[in-house]
Every structure is written in C-alpha cells, then in structure tokens.
Amino acid sequence: MKAFDDGSVRNEKFSPAMKWFDAVQSCQQAGVAYALITVLGCTGSTPRDQGSKMVITGDATFDTIGGGHLEFVVTNKAREVIAEGRSVQEIQHFPLGASLGQCCGGSATVLVETFAGCQFNIGLFGAGHVAKSLVSILSGLPCKVTWVDSREEEFPASVPANVTKVVTDDPCGEIATLPEGADVLILTHNHQLDYELCVAALKRLQSGNALRHVGLIGSDTKAQRFVKRLEHRGFSLDEINQIKCPVGLSEVPGKLPMEVAVSIAGELIAIENEGKVTQQKRGLAWKDIKQELGSELGAEVNTEGQGAVLTVKNETIK
C-alpha cells in the first residue's frame, strides 16, 4: 500500500466500490488523510436523507451523499482542508437551489470531519531479523513506514497496512524520497551499504532537506570506525554526530532481535512525543455545540437521567 501526504491512495485495497465504513478503516490503518461526510439534516427535496455518509481522500471518494453539485462542492472543500494537513470538524449548510445549480429545492446540513494524515514517517533500511521484529511493533503504532531492501526474498509475504515495501537496487536513492522530517533507521546486513546510506543521509541534511532522526545499528566500535571514515569523506564531527549509533535506548539492553527492536521503537516513540503538551480542552465545547445546533437546526436538549441528549430533528446525538 502506498499512502501519500496529500491524502491520495493508489492501491487495490482502496476499491472504488468500497463502502464508507471500510474506507475509514483502510485510511486509518494506512495513515491516509481523509474526510468523513455526514448529512445531519435536510428539508424539502434532497438527493439523500439524513445519516447518509461518504469518505473523501485526496484523489478518491467512497460512497455518496447524493452526487450532483452538492457533493462536488463538499468534496472540494474537504480536499482543501486535507491539502493543508488539518483535522477539523465543521457543520455546513447548503440550500439546494440556484447557488448550487441543483433544482431539488430543499436544503442539506452536512457535518464535515477531516482527519489529517499521519506525519510520523519512518524510512527503514534492511529486511533482516531486527527489521522484521521492528515492523511487527510499528504495525501497531500511528506511523507510516517505507521499508527498503534489495532482496525481495527477505520480505514477508504480506506487510502491515501502514508499511510500504520497496525493493530496489539503489537503496541510497530512497533517502531523498522520504518526506521532510522523516526518521531514518539503517539496519542492513552489509556494513558498506550502511556506510553509503549514512553518506546519503548526511548529504540530504547538508542540503537543508530535514530528517528528524538518523539511527544506525551497530556497536561502539562500528560507530568509531564510521566516524573516521565519514570525517575522511569530508563531513564535520557536528554533522556526523547527527547519526545515532548504536541506535535505540541504552536503558533497554539485550541482543535478541525483538529486544533490539523494542529499544529502537521506544526511542522513536520518545522522539515523536518530545515536547508535546496535553491540551485541557480539545474540539468543540458542549455549550458551543448547543448554541450552534440550537440556532441553526432548532435542536432540543434533554437533561433527564445521566448526561445530556441533544436531539436534531429525527437524529439523536449523545
């Protein structure tokens, strides 16, 4: 599966006939940006009734809210937000008259929920035992992995939904194709290839095309040898020190492939969450939802029992 930062997907798993709920699951698993569209309410004659849903990605749509210019306008609006990499929730109201070029005569209120694509990108070089163990861990994390090796036979028969397998005779060339801010893990079977990948990563860093983290598997002895070779190649010590070797958390010891993989995964998780602050409030406040839906759709609030229930026409939102 290939998932792109602009929300586009090009893979047989994303069939045009896919229903909205299957599309949501596939987008979530692949880390693809998407918008979930829900018709909250409608009056008069409309293409679809309330509760109708569809999913929009950067280059595809799944299911429908009735087609026509309404769906065209909603799709374009959703793709603008997808292209900006934002996650938003908006309620939009559309009279289905001359302004939309539709003759239905009714109106539709639509909830547009846009989910940004995953920005946690990992370039994994090497398909050996440690890499295979690491992929099994990364498959359960909100990240996108580009897994590179020249040996087709070393890859498993199938890879997780958030992993793109790349078989190439030029692994170093893949360094330049990784998204900005990606994490690079060099775990190959060949020390010379490891060295060449380090050179490619340092050249990319020199060009200003940022990588967030470069990790190299190996011992302290290997690290010292690579420092000397890279200095001889013309890189400064400050540049070379941007490569972490041995890669992984020193607090997590062990030499078994899974132990090393856990150490590397732990380091990546720490890097991904560094500096993040938990917000006290996220999304829409309850009072704002009551005010907006109450004024626009005549919603009623029932506070009997536990919690509160906001009823919009024939639909209940809890």
Side-chain angles (χ1 to χ4, degrees):
M1 176 179 295
K2 183 67 172 175
F4 296 82
D5 290 337
D6 62 357
S8 60
V9 291
R10 305 168 185 41
N11 189 274
E12 66 279 0
K13 293 183 180 179
F14 285 84
S15 165
M18 186 179 289
K19 294 298 184 181
W20 69 265
F21 41 83
D22 291 323
V24 167
Q25 182 181 41
S26 295
C27 287
Q28 289 279 13
Q29 290 176 340
V32 173
Y34 70 98
L36 175 62
I37 313 300
T38 304
V39 178
L40 285 181
C42 46
T43 59
S45 178
T46 56
R48 295 288 299 272
D49 290 330
Q50 72 267 23
S52 299
K53 296 178 183 289
M54 69 177 294
V55 167
I56 299 167
T57 68
D59 68 344
T61 62
F62 307 93
D63 243 320
T64 180
I65 56 170
H69 203 55
L70 168 65
E71 186 167 304
F72 176 78
V73 170
V74 171
T75 298
N76 284 343
K77 285 179 176 288
R79 283 180 174 159
E80 288 177 4
V81 179
I82 288 172
E84 294 170 0
R86 295 188 293 132
S87 295
V88 299
Q89 293 172 306
E90 295 179 342
I91 295 176
Q92 303 174 6
H93 185 68
F94 299 94
L96 304 180
S99 62
L100 281 186
Q102 295 193 213
C103 57
C104 298
S107 65
T109 303
V110 178
L111 172 63
V112 180
E113 298 177 275
T114 310
F115 301 87
C118 176
Q119 300 302 311
F120 185 3
N121 295 285
I122 301 167
L124 174 59
F125 293 83
H129 297 299
V130 172
K132 289 184 178 72
S133 296
L134 182 59
V135 164
S136 70
I137 299 173
L138 298 179
S139 67
L141 295 178
C143 63
K144 290 192 289 189
V145 182
T146 302
W147 194 6
V148 183
D149 202 297
S150 61
R151 303 165 298 167
E152 170 76 39
E153 68 278 5
E154 288 299 321
F155 287 101
S158 62
V159 297
N162 64 336
V163 175
T164 300
K165 182 181 73 172
V166 178
V167 180
T168 175
D169 291 331
D170 181 25
C172 295
E174 295 299 315
I175 293 282
T177 70
L178 296 173
E180 185 173 354
D183 300 305
V184 173
L185 298 174
I186 301 173
L187 315 178
T188 83
H189 64 295
N190 186 309
H191 279 212
Q192 180 58 29
L193 178 56
D194 285 351
Y195 170 74
E196 292 170 356
L197 286 165
C198 287
V199 170
L202 290 176
K203 285 184 176 179
R204 172 167 168 166
L205 289 168
Q206 283 182 334
S207 72
N209 194 351
L211 295 169
R212 184 172 65 172
H213 171 71
V214 181
L216 170 66
I217 196 168
S219 62
D220 291 331
T221 300
K222 178 179 178 179
Q224 292 169 7
R225 289 176 178 171
F226 271 44
V227 167
K228 291 180 180 179
R229 292 184 67 184
L230 292 168
E231 280 186 312
H232 184 71
R233 188 70 175 259
F235 295 104
S236 70
L237 193 56
D238 286 341
E239 290 173 327
I240 298 168
N241 285 339
Q242 294 179 83
I243 298 175
K244 171 73 182 303
C245 182
V247 66
L249 296 173
S250 59
E251 299 86 351
V252 183
K255 295 184 179 181
L256 294 175
M258 183 55 74
E259 292 172 331
V260 177
V262 168
S263 174
I264 295 172
E267 184 171 59
L268 288 177
I269 293 169
I271 293 170
E272 172 66 11
N273 288 280
E274 184 178 1
K276 289 187 177 179
V277 178
T278 302
Q279 301 294 325
Q280 293 297 320
K281 183 182 76 174
R282 297 178 296 276
L284 294 173
W286 171 241
K287 63 182 180 64
D288 296 330
I289 294 174
K290 287 191 295 182
Q291 180 179 345
E292 291 295 324
L293 293 183
S295 61
E296 292 292 329
L297 302 176
E300 297 179 354
V301 179
N302 182 351
T303 57
E304 296 179 1
Q306 293 182 333
V309 177
L310 182 67
T311 302
V312 182
K313 295 186 181 297
N314 298 323
E315 190 173 61
T316 298
I317 303 175
K318 293 187 178 180

